[in-house]
Amino acid sequence: MAVVIDHNHGFKPLAQLPKCRLQSYSHFDPNMHDFTQNITRTSNITTNLHKSYSTPCLSLATKAKEEFESPNPRVEIISGRKAPKVHALVAEVAIALASGVKPTPVSSGLGGAYYLQSRKGNTIAVVKPADEEPLALNNPKGFAGRMLGQPGMKRSIRVGETGLRELAAYLLDHGGFAGVPPSALVKISHVLFNVNKNMGLESNPTYKITSVQRYVEHETDAGDLGPSRFSVCSVHRIGILDIRLLNLDRHAGNMLVKNFYGSYVAGAAELVPIDHGFCLPESLDDPYFEWLHWPQASMPFSETEADYISKLDPFKDAELLRTELPLIRECSVRVFILCTIFLKQASSAGLSLADIGEMMTRVFIGGEERLSNLETICVNAKANMDMEITSDASDEIKESDEMFVFDKVFEDGFNQKEGLPTHSASVKPAKMVKSSSEGARIKLRDARLARLVQETDNKDGRGPAPILRSASFAVHNKNHNTGVCVSFEEMKEDEWSSFLEYFEGLLPEAFEQKQNTNLLKQRLGYSCEF
């Protein structure tokens, strides 16, 4: 098969593959409930790329007949084609597959991942099929059984959707600020990947939806070195990205170390973040930040970093996600908006990366998991919004009651002979107004409480315990042993806008309390001598 290289894309020679460790996903959530929604809506997705003799094996076929008749490997970009460096990456992948290169399975990790090498043997990309993710039906490592769209390793992130989030992290890393490798979501046809025969599948599918990331040359990962080796800039930039995306799984194994070469100079090594499949959850879940207690995280942001944060536009980025990745649910987009606003306000208030990360992370007190400061602020913001709605409704009811009482008094107490109203003791207008408005307020309160309270299983199994729940602000039961997840999935657009106003109004007080707590810790630390 003849292949012509697109000279506009070009190649960049890569060094030989060193030792690479792709760590497994951490913090497995064993208690997950089934969903019936399936997201395998890929047959309608097409790509309008320019096709010419200089394009290497990029499939632009729009007819299913061509797709099945041609036995040659094909690579079609589904999402990410507008992102920089994506076309060059996909072109290299297409050339490698057309040259007969077979994907090499990665032994580490819980999901199906493959190295893809060039004809010269250099590793150029990492490919991760959606149906081979942990718990997906074609997972090659024994962690199979769920359908696409059901809850995955994290309840707030569904099986088959981590590839979307890999691309989202790359799209949102403006200017390569944190160094996220180029990523894309592609359809690869006529290439053998893993298929579990025991799942009722008799043959290999014609194509698979996969994420593809540029392979990053590195010496090791952060798990092999102490944090003192890493530069402050690298830690801060990765931390800023993790906070924006609410990364649930930032561990040492998915921070690759570059420019180390065995040097023991403190702060010389640079970090490259990879594996962002567990970011942008559908609810405010509990994140894991490996860098949270590193000394670099407690240092203030540099002028460049503070300027970058101040220029972030969460609503513009949200539109980018909706446009480029329409399969990502709106509740995940809203979590991103919320976390970006939180980051911007916290940075303006002078908080450090460690301060912000601590406010977003849940704590364990007395063996119980408690909501993070961020989640508590959200709950309070919704409560304030509900209180104003209730107050406005009560005022309207009171006004209508007063009008009703006046009409009643005028009708019943009118003296036909003198033409004047009489204020007899039997009418008692003031008492009637109070009783009517108070009764309406009680009914309204009881109605809202009935809508807010949801019965859920208690931890000890002795019986149901009430959890606040709203039709527009869900507090979901995460599992039987640990806390809850705050979600914005059911909020209407006007409620969401109103909620953001209350949320931003509560942030200054929360940040001031955090600063006061830090001062108290410093004073206690200075006063203790051993």
Side-chain angles (χ1 to χ4, degrees):
M1 176 179 178
V3 178
V4 181
I5 300 175
D6 186 350
H7 298 285
N8 293 327
H9 292 169
F11 283 90
K12 180 183 293 184
L14 299 175
Q16 186 67 27
L17 170 66
K19 180 188 76 170
C20 176
R21 294 174 54 193
L22 295 180
Q23 300 292 334
S24 63
Y25 299 102
S26 62
H27 302 291
F28 181 81
D29 186 351
N31 298 289
M32 295 172 292
H33 303 284
D34 290 342
F35 287 86
T36 58
Q37 184 175 3
N38 193 303
I39 62 167
T40 54
R41 296 175 293 162
T42 57
S43 59
N44 296 327
I45 303 177
T46 58
T47 306
N48 296 321
L49 293 175
H50 175 65
K51 182 178 182 181
S52 67
Y53 291 105
S54 63
T55 304
C57 304
L58 294 177
S59 172
L60 308 177
T62 57
K63 297 181 180 180
K65 183 178 180 181
E66 294 182 32
E67 186 79 13
F68 284 94
E69 286 182 352
S70 175
N72 300 320
R74 297 169 180 267
V75 180
E76 178 182 348
I77 299 177
I78 296 176
S79 297
R81 55 184 173 271
K82 294 182 180 180
K85 303 180 181 180
V86 164
H87 283 278
L89 170 63
V90 176
E92 292 184 45
V93 169
I95 292 173
L97 293 175
S99 301
V101 174
K102 303 298 182 183
T104 304
V106 179
S107 59
S108 59
L110 299 181
Y114 301 83
Y115 289 132
L116 196 62
Q117 297 177 333
S118 67
R119 288 173 293 179
K120 296 181 179 180
N122 302 322
T123 302
I124 58 177
V126 180
V127 178
K128 302 176 183 178
D131 64 344
E132 297 184 29
E133 294 179 6
L135 302 184
L137 71 164
N138 280 323
N139 181 274
K141 299 175 181 177
F143 302 98
R146 294 193 179 274
M147 300 298 293
L148 301 181
Q150 292 181 330
M153 301 286 287
K154 296 286 186 178
R155 189 185 186 279
S156 54
I157 296 177
R158 302 173 188 248
V159 174
E161 297 188 2
T162 61
L164 294 172
R165 288 161 169 80
E166 296 269 17
L167 175 55
Y170 178 60
L171 292 174
L172 295 172
D173 186 27
H174 304 303
F177 184 77
V180 178
S183 303
L185 194 67
V186 301
K187 180 169 72 173
I188 299 181
S189 306
H190 304 296
V191 176
L192 294 179
F193 291 104
N194 183 71
V195 175
N196 289 331
K197 303 297 183 180
N198 59 353
M199 299 297 293
L201 303 173
E202 299 298 333
S203 61
N204 287 290
T206 306
Y207 67 86
K208 280 196 176 188
I209 304 301
T210 76
S211 64
V212 55
Q213 290 86 40
R214 169 73 71 183
Y215 177 78
V216 177
E217 291 290 340
H218 59 283
E219 286 75 52
T220 182
D221 61 50
D224 291 336
L225 300 175
S228 62
R229 299 285 185 267
F230 312 137
S231 66
V232 176
C233 179
S234 292
V235 175
H236 279 194
R237 295 189 176 205
I238 291 176
I240 291 171
L241 177 72
D242 290 341
I243 288 173
R244 292 173 62 204
L245 305 181
L246 192 61
N247 195 341
L248 306 184
D249 192 40
R250 174 61 72 204
H251 56 80
N254 55 37
M255 289 183 283
L256 306 181
V257 179
K258 294 181 62 178
N259 301 330
F260 177 60
Y261 304 114
S263 173
Y264 290 93
V265 178
E270 297 180 8
L271 296 174
V272 178
I274 61 171
D275 295 344
H276 296 95
F278 282 167
C279 67
L280 297 176
E282 296 184 13
S283 57
L284 284 181
D285 213 329
D286 187 28
Y288 178 75
F289 303 137
E290 180 75 26
W291 44 258
L292 185 59
H293 300 294
W294 290 358
Q296 296 93 329
S298 297
M299 300 181 67
F301 291 120
S302 67
E303 184 177 346
T304 301
E305 294 159 355
D307 183 63
Y308 176 85
I309 294 173
S310 67
K311 292 180 179 179
L312 292 173
D313 188 339
F315 301 101
K316 182 178 179 180
D317 288 341
E319 281 303 312
L320 175 66
L321 289 176
R322 296 185 185 107
T323 302
E324 296 297 324
L325 296 172
L327 291 179
I328 287 188
R329 293 170 175 78
E330 183 64 21
C331 48
S332 294
V333 176
R334 288 177 173 180
V335 168
F336 166 75
I337 292 174
L338 198 76
C339 291
T340 304
I341 291 175
F342 189 77
L343 170 66
K344 289 171 65 69
Q345 298 285 357
S347 176
S348 299
L351 269 63
S352 66
L353 181 64
D355 292 333
I356 303 171
E358 288 175 356
M359 295 186 70
M360 300 177 72
T361 305
R362 293 176 183 169
V363 295
F364 287 85
I365 300 178
E368 295 183 357
E369 184 183 59
R370 299 192 179 183
L371 294 180
S372 65
N373 293 134
L374 175 60
E375 291 172 304
T376 302
I377 294 171
C378 291
V379 172
N380 290 337
K382 181 57 170 59
N384 290 345
M385 186 177 72
D386 286 344
M387 187 180 300
E388 179 172 330
I389 294 175
T390 303
S391 177
D392 292 343
S394 298
D395 291 341
E396 292 178 3
I397 293 174
K398 180 178 179 180
E399 182 178 352
S400 63
D401 287 342
E402 290 174 346
M403 295 177 62
F404 170 79
V405 169
F406 177 80
D407 293 340
K408 188 71 175 176
V409 171
F410 187 82
E411 180 181 352
D412 295 341
F414 192 84
N415 189 319
Q416 296 291 337
K417 294 182 180 180
E418 300 181 4
L420 295 173
T422 59
H423 299 279
S424 62
S426 60
V427 177
K428 299 181 181 179
K431 185 175 181 180
M432 184 180 294
V433 173
K434 181 178 180 181
S435 175
S436 177
S437 61
E438 185 66 23
R441 187 178 294 110
I442 292 174
K443 290 181 180 179
L444 183 60
R445 181 196 64 191
D446 292 343
R448 291 198 64 84
L449 286 176
R451 192 163 64 96
L452 283 169
V453 176
Q454 177 193 21
E455 298 297 328
T456 185
D457 292 336
N458 210 355
K459 291 192 307 180
D460 55 9
R462 297 177 181 175
I467 286 185
L468 287 181
R469 177 183 176 90
S470 169
S472 60
F473 186 77
V475 185
H476 296 305
N477 189 25
K478 185 181 179 184
N479 55 53
H480 293 290
N481 299 318
T482 58
V484 295
C485 289
V486 177
S487 173
F488 310 97
E489 182 177 8
E490 300 174 3
M491 269 193 178
K492 299 178 181 178
E493 193 62 34
D494 57 340
E495 292 178 323
W496 168 245
S497 300
S498 179
F499 167 80
L500 286 180
E501 294 181 6
Y502 283 96
F503 174 75
E504 292 188 56
L506 292 175
L507 291 181
E509 181 180 358
F511 296 149
E512 184 179 358
Q513 291 179 356
K514 180 61 177 176
Q515 291 171 332
N516 293 337
T517 302
N518 291 342
L519 291 175
L520 180 60
K521 289 181 179 180
Q522 292 177 2
R523 291 171 183 172
L524 292 175
Y526 294 149
S527 62
C528 296
E529 296 182 2
F530 299 95

